[in-house]
Every structure is written in C-alpha cells, then in structure tokens.
Amino acid sequence: MQTESYKSRSFKIEDSDARLRKGSTLQDFVLDAAGAIRIIPQGREIKVKEITTVPTGAKSVNVYVLALDASNGEELGWTSATNLAGKFYSETIGLIKAPSGGNKFGPHAAWKDGAYIGQIDLVRIVGTNYEVEHIAADSCDEFVALTTAARQDGASIRLNSGFRSYPEQKYLYDGRKKGLPGFNPANPPGSSNHQNGVAFDLDVKPGEGNPNYEWLKKNATRFGFVRTVRTEAWHWEYLPQKAAKARTNGKSTTW
C-alpha cells in the first residue's frame, strides 16, 4: 500500500534558494565555513529518506524532507518541501491504524446513509495549503495512482478534503446551516460519503477551464473516480463500477 508515496519516486529541487536546515532545530539553517547558508543546487534530483511535519495551525503544517542525492544516495540534509517541484502536494505520509474498540464519533469512525458502519484505517496526506488531510486506506493506492498519472501529464491534483470524522462533518454542516462565510453545502453528519472514505474534494475550482479539472474529465474514470454532484465540480468519488460505466458512455459523471 502506498502509505508513504514519496519513498517510491524522486524529486527535483525547483527553488534556487533551497536552504539546508539543522535536523535538530529545523528553524535554524546550516552554514558553511564562511558563514553562508548552505543550499541544495537548483535542478538537483533527490530522493526523500524521511519527512517531518511542524504544526502551524489546527490542520496546517510545515513539511521538511531529509534529501538524498538521487544518483549516489549521499545525504544532503533537511530542507523545506516547498523547494521541490510539485511542492509535495498529495504525497501520502503515513498509515494510521484504526483503534480497537473505537467509538462511533471518533476519528476513524465510518458512517453511511446515517448509520455507523465501523472503524477504518486512514492514511495521512499533504493537502492544499499544507493541511494534513486523511483518506481511507482502502482507496489510497488508487488515489496515489491518479495523482501520479496527473503529475506525469503536467497536471496537479490537490486534495482539499477527504475522509471526515463525525465531528468534522457536523462542523461543516452547522456552519453552512448558519450561513457562515466560507462554508460550502454539506450533508448532515452521518450521511456524507466523506465519512466512509469514498468522497474526495479536489482543488479544481471553478471547474470548466481549470487544466486540472480538464485532466480529471479525461482520465479520472480510468482510476475508478467519477464526479457525482452536479453543482460541485470539485467533488469526486471512488466508485469503480460507476466510473467504468461513465467511461464506457464517454462521460466523467454519473448523470
């Protein structure tokens, strides 16, 4: 399972000022003998040995990577993931197993059609704006395959929202019901497909004309993903049978 997708590929240093940081205190930079900040040269191909995240908000983080030279495995040091081409978006960064005996309102509790259906394993993933999101482990490999294919074609599929716990869904539903700014339509808690690992909100607004959305229209169904809500271009679901039917009919939607 691709629960740490960054370990299976290489990255290119995109920033011309990719500064190296001290592993013990990531806010501090590594200096050379003359007192200048050491950098990884722009264009260098690297592998990522490991990552660490430093919280900057309720869900947002700074992501740092321990870089290895892709050609010889030499350890280059720690640097920000923002220095990499692709910015590390949609990379999976670890599996979280469901606890035994978890309650139905806990972080791993899955719901469908208003009913609690059990606990599921989750995978952490770097979402839009460096918020750590979660996706169901059962659809992890398929989502990684989708984002990898998009990247190879020059597109970027970023995740705004994946799996949601009952409290998270309730927060979004209540915010919309109260008319608070910034809240999109949301189903009542317990009845959203975001709560069973099927639904993915992707960063493709406004839809038509967005190159990443256009890529999804042509390709998402190959990986089992299909658009299911007429009014939400960003909402896609992992429904392999419906996706196959849509593709046969030359569509990317269930209608």
Side-chain angles (χ1 to χ4, degrees):
M1 188 183 299
Q2 290 270 22
T3 58
E4 293 176 307
S5 58
Y6 62 90
K7 290 185 175 181
S8 63
R9 71 186 194 91
S10 61
F11 298 81
K12 181 176 288 187
I13 297 294
E14 183 176 63
D15 198 311
S16 61
D17 190 27
R19 302 181 180 193
L20 287 172
R21 296 169 179 268
K22 295 181 179 179
S24 56
T25 54
L26 288 164
Q27 69 270 26
D28 296 327
F29 298 109
V30 177
L31 306 180
D32 63 18
I37 297 174
R38 292 181 57 199
I39 65 169
I40 304 177
Q42 186 178 29
R44 177 73 64 88
E45 291 281 344
I46 68 161
K47 294 278 190 178
V48 174
K49 181 178 181 179
E50 61 181 283
I51 66 105
T52 190
T53 59
V54 178
T56 59
K59 292 177 64 176
S60 58
V61 296
N62 286 331
V63 181
Y64 299 98
V65 304
L66 180 55
L68 307 177
D69 189 297
S71 63
N72 58 23
E74 175 191 358
E75 186 171 300
L76 302 174
W78 289 91
T79 194
S80 171
T82 59
N83 295 322
L84 309 183
K87 309 299 183 186
F88 219 68
Y89 291 120
S90 294
E91 296 295 340
T92 55
I93 56 174
L95 174 69
I96 311 174
K97 296 288 288 184
S100 58
N103 74 72
K104 64 182 181 181
F105 300 116
H108 291 260
W111 290 71
K112 184 176 181 180
D113 300 328
Y116 167 66
I117 59 174
Q119 304 284 314
I120 64 173
D121 295 340
L122 299 175
V123 176
R124 300 172 76 227
I125 187 169
V126 180
T128 306
N129 299 322
Y130 291 95
E131 291 187 340
V132 175
E133 302 290 345
H134 297 90
I135 59 177
D138 284 348
S139 56
C140 171
D141 285 353
E142 290 75 15
F143 190 68
V144 169
L146 175 80
T147 59
T148 299
R151 189 183 305 116
Q152 291 170 347
D153 288 342
S156 178
I157 305 302
R158 304 177 186 179
L159 181 69
N160 285 341
S161 183
F163 178 83
R164 297 176 191 157
S165 67
Y166 192 99
E168 287 172 326
Q169 186 66 28
K170 185 177 187 303
Y171 169 76
L172 296 175
Y173 176 74
D174 289 347
R176 180 68 176 188
K177 191 174 180 180
K178 293 174 182 177
L180 299 178
F183 283 79
N184 290 320
N187 287 346
S191 63
S192 169
N193 277 345
H194 282 283
Q195 293 182 255
N196 59 45
V198 169
F200 296 72
D201 285 351
L202 306 176
D203 185 22
V204 294
K205 287 184 178 179
E208 299 292 340
N210 181 309
N212 299 320
Y213 176 75
E214 297 298 334
W215 186 91
L216 285 171
K217 283 171 59 178
K218 295 177 182 177
N219 298 282
T221 53
R222 290 196 290 123
F223 302 93
F225 293 84
V226 64
R227 187 178 155 194
T228 60
V229 181
R230 288 178 182 268
T231 57
E232 298 180 0
W234 59 86
H235 183 98
W236 295 72
E237 299 191 10
Y238 179 63
L239 299 169
Q241 291 183 338
K242 291 185 178 181
K245 181 178 179 181
R247 190 164 189 83
T248 298
N249 293 331
K251 298 180 179 180
S252 58
T253 67
T254 53
W255 61 88

